[in-house]
Amino acid sequence: MLSASLLLASLVVSAAAEAWPGSPDWPLVPGLMGYNALPVLPNVDPVIGTRAEVEVTAAAQVSDLALRDHAVTPYLRLTVPFRETAALEVDGTPIEIWRTTAATQLRLGARNRADGTPGDARFGARFLLLRERAGPALGLRLSVKSASGKGLASRRFTNAPGYAIDLLAGKDVGTLGEARLRALARVGFVSWQFGQNEQDDAFAYGATVRATAPSGAAVELDWRGYAGWRFADRPSVIGLGAIVPVPGGELKAAFNAGASADAPPLELRVGYVWRFEVPALLRARSAPGPSTP
């Protein structure tokens, strides 16, 4: 394992020319960064409801069951809809508490093995372009990553901006017993700073199948990722999630596994989503349908 780490480190140094860890020219790619530096964005439904959402989630990522490399972070999200046609979204990870082995430190070229590091925020909007009828609902998601994340020398966050554009689709596709089946898909584009005066561009993709019971409880299986053109920039994730409605919102849990070497190997997320009606000015004037997809 040490020999493999040394080999990868030498390849990275060669690719980065005369760069050194933490310098502007040191390559910023998900396979050589912390677990939360350049994550794959979640799949979302293009349908926009009438209720705002506040999500508070705890996330933990580990390299294996022995917990040799691990990180924990809170995840916060605010979504505010406007007349069921647009929604403003803010989300991010305020801080990441992390630890790595000496071998991982060498492979990443990181200054430290453990620390608490301020994370990134994202600001964006989602638009419903076409309502669901015979065909699927279609939407557009725009997202911009802040440069607030720190710990570049330790490879935790890029401390650089980035953006993403996704075309979204969603459609009810049938039933399974009493459960309603809904399929989501997305294709898009992700771009972020790779080094000084350089950027990496990636094709983004995702698909989800969700089964929702009459009670509102749901389970979903999803696959998502992106593929860049540099190196170590093709994270892919497969996830299994569960949703349980509770007064005022819902409880969520998800287990995600990396389907490629550039994604966190294992991740567990548990959180609560609080939903509340927005002022009448922000709701659609027509007779309201279901508040959420």
Side-chain angles (χ1 to χ4, degrees):
M1 181 178 294
L2 182 58
S3 299
S5 298
L6 288 170
L7 176 61
L8 181 55
S10 66
L11 291 174
V12 171
V13 170
S14 298
E18 297 179 356
W20 63 91
S23 77
D25 293 312
W26 191 250
L28 307 180
V29 287
L32 295 174
M33 295 294 296
Y35 290 147
N36 294 287
L38 292 163
V40 178
L41 295 183
N43 300 331
V44 294
D45 201 306
V47 175
I48 297 170
T50 62
R51 289 184 289 177
E53 295 184 348
V54 175
E55 178 178 350
V56 179
T57 290
Q61 301 95 17
V62 299
S63 58
D64 49 39
L65 296 181
L67 309 183
R68 284 189 284 261
D69 299 328
H70 54 267
V72 295
T73 180
Y75 169 77
L76 306 176
R77 176 177 62 87
L78 170 65
T79 300
V80 180
F82 181 78
R83 293 183 175 268
E84 299 183 57
T85 58
L88 297 178
E89 300 182 321
V90 181
D91 72 320
T93 54
I95 189 171
E96 180 191 46
I97 309 298
W98 56 275
R99 186 178 186 87
T100 70
T101 63
T104 299
Q105 180 186 20
L106 177 63
R107 179 176 65 83
L108 300 183
R111 175 182 297 171
N112 302 315
R113 284 185 53 194
D115 203 352
T117 308
D120 285 324
R122 285 185 296 269
F123 307 88
R126 188 158 38 103
F127 303 92
L128 179 63
L129 304 178
L130 184 66
R131 296 187 183 277
E132 181 177 349
R133 293 185 176 87
L138 296 178
L140 182 69
R141 177 174 64 180
L142 309 175
S143 181
V144 178
K145 184 182 81 67
S146 72
S148 58
K150 306 305 179 186
L152 177 60
S154 294
R155 311 295 290 164
R156 299 319 298 182
F157 292 94
T158 65
N159 195 24
Y163 65 91
I165 303 172
D166 285 311
L167 178 64
L168 312 172
K171 183 169 177 55
D172 287 341
V173 293
T175 59
L176 181 63
E178 295 185 345
R180 174 172 61 98
L181 296 179
R182 186 167 181 80
L184 309 177
R186 69 180 178 97
V187 292
F189 175 81
V190 180
S191 182
W192 70 95
Q193 186 172 330
F194 173 84
Q196 189 172 33
N197 301 319
E198 294 183 281
Q199 71 179 36
D200 199 344
D201 305 319
F203 167 73
Y205 57 87
T208 297
V209 176
R210 179 187 300 140
T212 304
S215 65
V219 295
E220 59 183 28
L221 178 67
D222 73 353
W223 173 51
R224 50 198 168 88
Y226 59 83
W229 62 281
R230 303 281 187 168
F231 60 91
D233 57 359
R234 300 188 176 188
S236 180
V237 176
I238 297 175
L240 178 64
I243 300 170
V244 178
V246 296
E250 64 187 24
L251 297 176
K252 298 176 60 177
F255 176 76
N256 300 312
S260 73
D262 303 330
L266 300 171
E267 180 184 55
L268 179 65
R269 305 178 71 88
V270 178
Y272 173 71
V273 179
W274 176 44
R275 289 197 175 99
F276 58 93
E277 289 289 348
V278 296
L281 178 64
L282 301 181
R283 294 198 298 269
R285 297 176 180 175
S286 58
S291 296
T292 58

